[in-house]
Amino acid sequence: MKTTRAKPKDEKKPSGKRDRNKEKTKQQILAAALELFRKHGLEGTTTKQISQKSKIAEGTLFNYFKTKEDLALYFFQKETSDLIKWFAKEERLQKAPLPEKLFAIIHRQLEYITPYEDFIGAVFFRSLQAHSKLSPLSLESQELRLKYLRFVRDVLQQAEENEEIPRVGEMGAYAVGLFYVGIVMHWLHDGSEGKQKTLALLDRSLNLATKVLKKGGWDW
Amino acid sequence: MGAGIAGNYLAYQMRRPFVAAKKNEEERGTLQRKNAKQIREGLQELRGPVMKLGQALSMQTHMLNAEAIEELAGLQMQAPPMHPTLMRAQFKSAFGKYPDEVFRSFELEPFAASSFGQVHWAVTKRGEEVAVKIQYPAIRETVKKDFQMLRTASFLARVTGHLSEPVVAEVQRGILEETDYRKEAQNLEYFGKQLKPLGFVHVPTPYFELSYENVVTMSRMKGLRMQEFLQTNPSPELRDKIGVNLSNLFFYQLFKVGALHADPHPGNYLFNQDGTISLVDFGCVKYLKPEVVRCYAQFWSREWVHNAPLYAEITKVIFGPQFSPRDTRVRRCMNDIRTFYDEFHPLTRTTETLELADPKFMAGLDRLLRALPKNKFISPEFVFLSRTELGMCNLLHTLKARVPMTQIVRQWMPQTYADKAQSKVL
């Protein structure tokens, strides 16, 4: 694979239009890749196929995504950005109790990944490998993780201020992040119609967790 | 929950010797209310079959005290509802779309929430007012697990024969069927057609195109629930009229339809000022075997008292082939049932009205209900029939209605048996 070093973010001074075009191309590549991943899986899809499907020359493709893992990371970046934008617009949810807010957030994430179940399964497997960019320990995935954790932390902080739960600090956001990973694992193996069991597990565990927190915070 | 209730009871017992009798009564009432509240809250959280058990208990007006009944009555329509996000997710898992994409308008707040699902008012795109019942997620699995636990917990009762496996299996079948909303839509259509000749019963019309396994859409029904209806201070005539209609409804279903709306908790009956009844929730329906319907009529005609082969035939249907008709317990139970029916719809007093408010009547029913399990007789075929009959008795008792019961039974019973009964009277 050709290695073209991408310019660090702060070196770039692109115009708005240039930025928009770049983003459009990235999305074009991602849409083509996701369709191919759905058909042939993450491992079975070649860069050549993505290039043909997205009608973008292979060389240009590498300028945007050096590896399929970069593409997967971009998918999750988009997912997180969309999630945050969506939540900010949901006025009713802003006033909802914490279990409902967290349910809505995680359910929204699950809805986003639903069409790409096989792809998510493959990504999950890859993320367990220490050298993978998708690993939660990799430098490449840190920005994305922090963005998600900050967002969850804000939601929890609001609940703390409303005295719905005692102060849980940053650990609360980490706990929700881990919980989400567990739910995705369950969701991937859930064979029930409409993923009913995952919905039930999500609802019951969030209610239970909030009740436990209300009873005694972390000090039980 | 168990520990909390035991704690309340211990505290009461420790204080008891030190307080006066009147104060003691008050404290006992408070304790019972407190315990009933804890039980209600616990059952509400658990939903599913255990909440059904609480609903059944709330109908035992003759067995439990007023405080407990009042608390448990809350279970009839008020389970903690799904929050709007979960409800929408659950709806989408069935339809592939959100409610606001399917309906012209959809109320996010549920009108009622029960053991398996909750009901929302909505308006279809064609402008029809409908009720949409949405099931809690994975409730079928919950039911199966609850029954697994029930089987473990009731091990001793099953060994001693007080609770037989066929009875547990029949209850499980009935409750699992309640979770299939497509089946409920079919039941609505069936009962809508079958009960039309009665004229005074309204059954919701199902919308098959808007119904799935865990979402069912039906026309919206009008009427007041029992407690709301009683608050309007209905006249004795209206109470009697509704009592007569309820009795007609039961015996018409039994003898003419051969199938019963078998979930008789008060939340499923809506009463109107013109005496008509709106019947909702057709999840639990019992399609009766012809021999069971025949057995009820044969029993009532009392012909079996002097007819040994018929007596043997009836006992075989009621108690099962494993019991000999000569068994003393069988004879005792047959006499107990007969004693109750002599009060409930006596052969000889054809025009007399039955005073359902009379505590003597409910005491008789209580005696019978205690006698049957004590003698280890609970027939699976009769579980839902007895439940519906008991439910009707409780509704009539709460209404304080006066009903010419014998006349009503005669009206719907197959003519042969009614004639036989008539000849016996003569």
Side-chain angles (χ1 to χ4, degrees), chain A residues 86 92-93 96 99-101 103-105 107 111 192-197 199-200 203-204 207 211, chain B residues 45 47 82-86 88-90 92-94 98 108 135-139 141-142 213-214:
Chain A
W86 164 81
R92 194 193 64 80
L93 264 182
E100 186 178 352
K101 270 184 200 159
F103 181 97
I105 289 168
H107 183 253
E111 274 205 312
S192 62
E193 208 183 327
K195 304 271 184 192
Q196 290 270 300
K197 286 186 183 171
L199 287 182
D203 177 48
R204 287 173 200 162
N207 279 325
K211 269 187 194 160
Chain B
E45 285 292 320
R47 293 174 179 157
M82 292 183 274
H83 52 69
T85 311
L86 175 57
R88 279 165 52 80
Q90 179 67 350
K92 198 183 174 191
S93 81
Y98 284 117
L108 278 184
Q135 199 171 93
Y136 304 133
I139 201 77
E141 281 70 22
T142 311
E213 199 178 302
N214 43 22

Side-chain angles (χ1 to χ4, degrees), chain B residues 35-228:
Chain B
N35 284 349
K37 186 168 180 272
Q38 282 190 4
I39 292 172
R40 178 182 57 75
E41 286 170 354
L43 296 182
Q44 276 179 336
E45 285 292 320
L46 290 167
R47 293 174 179 157
V50 280
M51 192 172 148
K52 282 245 161 253
L53 178 74
Q55 286 177 351
L57 279 174
S58 76
M59 283 152 49
Q60 310 310 306
T61 47
H62 53 296
M63 283 168 79
L64 298 176
N65 58 55
E67 286 86 2
I69 297 286
E70 201 179 309
E71 271 299 334
L72 290 174
L75 291 171
Q76 284 158 8
M77 303 296 275
Q78 301 163 9
M82 292 183 274
H83 52 69
T85 311
L86 175 57
M87 178 274 292
R88 279 165 52 80
Q90 179 67 350
F91 185 95
K92 198 183 174 191
S93 81
F95 275 80
K97 287 177 182 175
Y98 284 117
D100 33 303
E101 296 171 277
V102 176
F103 293 97
R104 183 189 289 177
S105 69
F106 189 94
E107 286 187 17
L108 278 184
E109 283 298 314
F111 154 73
S114 63
S115 42
F116 294 147
Q118 58 193 46
V119 184
H120 293 257
W121 297 141
V123 178
T124 64
K125 292 215 163 144
R126 285 182 300 204
E128 296 138 320
E129 286 189 345
V130 290
V132 185
K133 190 155 88 165
I134 304 171
Q135 199 171 93
Y136 304 133
I139 201 77
R140 280 183 85 80
E141 281 70 22
T142 311
V143 172
K144 284 178 192 162
K145 276 182 193 153
D146 283 358
F147 272 91
Q148 269 173 7
M149 282 199 286
L150 173 73
R151 282 189 168 88
T152 313
S154 65
F155 175 72
L156 271 179
R158 285 187 297 131
V159 167
T160 58
H162 286 88
L163 186 63
S164 69
E165 173 54 31
V167 169
V168 179
E170 168 67 358
V171 177
Q172 181 173 2
R173 181 207 59 77
I175 291 185
L176 270 179
E177 211 170 88
E178 267 190 74
T179 62
D180 183 352
Y181 284 0
R182 275 184 202 278
K183 179 94 185 146
E184 181 168 350
Q186 286 165 3
N187 289 338
L188 284 169
E189 191 182 40
Y190 180 75
F191 276 82
K193 276 184 194 155
Q194 294 293 326
L195 299 180
K196 209 169 183 180
L198 284 179
F200 58 79
V201 186
H202 306 298
V203 176
T205 312
Y207 287 69
F208 286 101
E209 69 281 13
L210 296 173
S211 299
Y212 288 85
E213 199 178 302
N214 43 22
V215 178
V216 59
T217 306
M218 62 195 93
S219 55
R220 185 172 166 173
M221 290 283 105
K222 291 197 166 63
L224 299 174
R225 294 171 197 155
M226 177 65 91
Q227 289 309 320
E228 297 163 343

Side-chain angles (χ1 to χ4, degrees), chain B residues 290-299 303-305 307-321 323-326 330 334 379 382 417 420:
Chain B
E291 62 262 34
V292 171
V293 179
R294 196 171 57 240
C295 175
Y296 196 102
Q298 284 169 333
F299 191 99
E303 213 189 342
W304 56 272
V305 178
N307 183 338
L310 185 61
Y311 172 77
E313 193 186 322
I314 293 177
T315 53
K316 195 177 160 190
V317 178
I318 302 180
F319 306 109
F323 291 102
S324 159
R326 288 183 197 149
V330 170
M334 286 291 275
S379 164
F382 284 83
Y417 299 104
K420 276 178 187 166

Side-chain angles (χ1 to χ4, degrees), chain A residues 24 33 39 56 62 92 105 142 155 163 170 183 219:
Chain A
K24 207 174 153 188
K39 276 186 196 160
I56 292 191
F62 290 125
R92 194 193 64 80
I105 289 168
Q142 290 312 301
V155 174
E163 294 181 351
E170 275 72 38
I183 287 290
D219 307 323

